[in-house]
Amino acid sequence: MAKDSKKDELFCDYFERWIKVYKEGAIRRVTMNKYNLALSWLRKLIPTLKIGELDRIAYQRLLNDYAKFHERQTTMDFHHQLKGAILDAVDEGLISRDPTRKTIIKGKTPRDKKPKYLSQFELHTLIQHLDLGPEVNWDWLILLVAKTGMRFSEALAITPKDFDFAHQSLSIDKTWDYKGNGGFLPTKNKSSVRKIQIDWQLVVQFSELIKNKPENEPLFVFNKVYNSTVNDVLRRRCKEAQIPVISIHGLRHTHASLLLFAGVSIASVARRLGHASMTTTQKTYLHIIHELENKDIDLVMRALSSL
């Protein structure tokens, strides 16, 4: 009887309870916000659907309705957020069979997007157009992200103490809460805690820039920071350099892409970016990996034909 009464619970109520039990306090605030957004869509799209009524057709209809308003990748993320709760409901006997099996993911036609990364020539041209004066400004942060591949939140959290000029390295062990009320936060995952090797030019430039700066205070934070502010500066610099306009996150993609094209292994790139696994790197840069594989085939054929 207790199980039957649970099957009559609304799925959106079950999902809300599941988030509180399994996710609250265990994930970053940004990720928690995504789960809460998924919950609000459930209340909008299936407000009266009971958990015991969630079969493959009902679930596919839910995804189809969500996909009318979102691109395919966003629909895929929504599906992954729901799937954990649904599989737990299957384990509890509230749903007889896994309704997420053989799901088809749809979505709106993607909008025209900014280029994800720059070529080596374009990045070189951008760096030449940066305003790298004696004082800390957003251009210095743009340079640092371009040369290290750090996430924006990681770059904001950099303090003078994080630089180890003797060993040409930079420690990443925290992020800055720019989406909230400011302050240091942990990194995205354990793999994100890392040391990044930096080139000698960056060593010379930043050893001068951070002189007499407080050791434990963020170098680039003076008041409330917005991602859009830095992207506006970057947009202006791209236009001045007459290259494609990219975002600050696009510089992280640029960094990784240039390393892969230079022949750096996927494992090394994954460690440098702070990815939790090489799978993340492979998925993100699949198009580049395919391009490199085609180059490798040419090299193999050339080597074999010379035998």
Side-chain angles (χ1 to χ4, degrees):
M1 284 297 291
K3 190 175 282 187
D4 288 341
S5 65
K6 282 184 180 179
K7 285 184 179 182
D8 287 337
E9 183 181 12
L10 296 176
F11 177 64
C12 38
D13 289 344
Y14 175 85
F15 186 65
E16 183 174 23
R17 278 198 304 112
W18 184 85
I19 292 171
K20 283 181 179 172
V21 171
Y22 292 103
K23 297 298 175 183
E24 210 168 73
I27 55 177
R28 298 164 79 230
R29 188 189 303 135
V30 176
T31 312
M32 189 67 182
N33 290 342
K34 291 176 183 176
Y35 277 97
N36 286 326
L37 185 60
L39 174 61
S40 68
W41 273 101
L42 288 183
R43 295 204 182 280
K44 190 184 299 184
L45 297 174
I46 52 165
T48 60
L49 185 76
K50 294 173 182 175
I51 194 162
E53 299 168 342
L54 190 62
D55 56 16
R56 280 187 63 204
I57 291 177
Y59 186 66
Q60 187 65 59
R61 279 182 184 148
L62 166 63
L63 289 185
N64 291 350
D65 289 342
Y66 183 85
K68 290 174 186 174
F69 304 95
H70 300 88
E71 293 180 15
R72 189 177 181 281
Q73 184 56 55
T74 311
T75 307
M76 178 71 80
D77 294 341
F78 179 67
H79 162 62
H80 284 147
Q81 284 154 7
L82 300 183
K83 190 171 179 178
I86 291 170
L87 292 180
D88 280 353
V90 172
D91 288 345
E92 292 171 41
L94 302 177
I95 303 172
S96 56
R97 292 181 182 176
D98 177 11
T100 67
R101 193 172 62 87
K102 294 186 179 178
T103 297
I104 296 168
I105 305 296
K106 303 174 186 177
K108 290 197 308 179
T109 305
R111 295 168 296 171
D112 289 336
K113 292 180 180 175
K114 291 177 185 175
K116 276 196 171 181
Y117 61 91
L118 300 174
S119 68
Q120 187 166 350
F121 172 76
E122 288 164 342
L123 180 60
H124 181 69
T125 308
L126 171 64
I127 290 171
Q128 286 183 321
H129 282 79
L130 293 178
D131 177 18
L132 303 174
E135 297 301 322
V136 175
N137 60 15
W138 292 127
D139 293 69
W140 281 110
L141 182 134
I142 288 168
L143 177 70
L144 193 62
V145 172
K147 286 204 166 190
T148 62
M150 279 190 290
R151 298 176 178 93
F152 179 58
S153 59
E154 293 171 343
L156 288 177
I158 290 298
T159 67
K161 195 175 181 181
D162 295 324
F163 288 93
D164 181 351
F165 296 124
H167 296 95
Q168 288 189 219
S169 70
L170 180 59
S171 294
I172 312 295
D173 56 11
K174 57 197 173 303
T175 62
W176 185 259
D177 183 21
Y178 71 94
K179 291 183 179 178
N181 298 318
F184 293 117
L185 287 175
T187 54
K188 187 173 183 179
N189 51 57
K190 287 181 181 178
S191 304
S192 296
V193 176
R194 62 203 189 277
K195 284 185 186 292
I196 297 177
Q197 291 301 123
I198 55 177
D199 65 83
W200 65 268
Q201 283 179 313
L202 218 54
V203 167
V204 172
Q205 289 168 315
F206 273 84
S207 59
E208 282 297 314
L209 194 67
I210 68 172
K211 269 183 184 175
N212 305 319
K213 295 279 191 298
E215 270 203 338
N216 294 305
E217 289 185 19
L219 198 57
F220 296 103
V221 179
F222 307 104
N223 40 45
K224 178 67 178 169
V225 180
Y226 296 95
N227 184 278
S228 57
T229 305
V230 184
N231 279 330
D232 284 343
V233 174
L234 181 54
R235 184 184 302 111
R236 287 200 302 274
R237 297 293 178 258
C238 287
K239 286 183 175 178
E240 288 165 9
Q242 297 182 333
I243 59 171
V245 173
I246 61 165
S247 65
I248 193 75
H249 194 70
L251 284 179
R252 176 169 159 86
H253 286 311
T254 298
H255 182 81
S257 303
L258 293 182
L259 293 182
L260 288 168
F261 278 125
V264 178
S265 72
I266 294 172
S268 294
V269 173
R271 279 197 299 273
R272 192 168 172 89
L273 295 182
H275 282 164
S277 72
M278 279 195 292
T279 307
T280 307
T281 318
Q282 286 168 324
K283 282 180 182 175
T284 309
Y285 301 102
L286 192 62
H287 59 296
I288 295 171
I289 292 164
H290 283 162
E291 216 173 309
L292 292 170
E293 281 174 351
N294 291 335
K295 275 187 180 178
D296 286 345
I297 290 168
D298 289 342
L299 289 172
V300 169
M301 290 302 103
R302 221 176 297 163
L304 292 176
S305 63
S306 65
L307 292 176

